[in-house]
Amino acid sequence: IPTRKKLPFGWLMHALEDGRSDGPPISPIILVSLLYWFAVFVTAPVYPFIWETTPFAGGDAVKGGSLHARGVFYNACGEFLSASFLGAISDRYGRRPILLLSSLGQVLDFGVASLGEL
């Protein structure tokens, strides 16, 4: 039996190195997670300045930052409250129809948002 060299994060690094594991492939999950966090770290410092330019803040940087914090809080509350509801619905109807429906809702949302400047 060949011995494996010790790698940091043990099973994860061996799964990436061998391409074998007992579970689902982990590398797409890691890639999507890294892309998500890259997007968050790039855009997060800009949001308070965007809020500052809205009529709600009136050009005040402190009010813009607090509006951004409030928006993040409400988003987290919405995710927390809807997670169990969406989980129960996806258990009943299947994951794919719920994901397709939510993707359609996001496309419609972005479409309406794109008409806002016309």
Side-chain angles (χ1 to χ4, degrees):
I1 298 174
T3 55
R4 292 183 172 217
K5 57 186 177 189
K6 272 295 222 187
L7 294 173
F9 298 107
W11 65 270
L12 174 62
M13 297 312 271
H14 286 297
L16 291 175
E17 180 184 66
D18 296 343
R20 295 177 295 167
S21 75
D22 295 339
I26 196 82
S27 53
I29 297 169
I30 292 173
L31 178 66
V32 169
S33 180
L34 289 174
L35 286 173
Y36 171 77
W37 284 109
F38 176 74
V40 167
F41 289 136
V42 167
T43 58
V46 179
Y47 286 134
F49 299 110
I50 294 173
W51 276 100
E52 180 183 334
T53 61
T54 64
F56 301 114
D60 184 15
V62 174
K63 191 161 188 174
S66 69
L67 284 171
H68 172 63
R70 191 174 298 154
V72 169
F73 172 74
Y74 290 146
N75 181 45
C77 288
E79 287 181 13
F80 177 74
L81 294 174
S82 66
S84 61
F85 174 71
L86 289 174
I89 288 179
S90 70
D91 286 344
R92 181 176 179 147
Y93 296 108
R95 187 179 298 160
R96 183 173 300 213
I98 301 303
L99 285 173
L100 289 173
L101 186 64
S102 66
S103 295
L104 176 67
Q106 192 171 18
V107 166
L108 292 174
D109 177 44
F110 288 157
V112 170
S114 70
L115 298 174
E117 292 294 320
L118 296 178

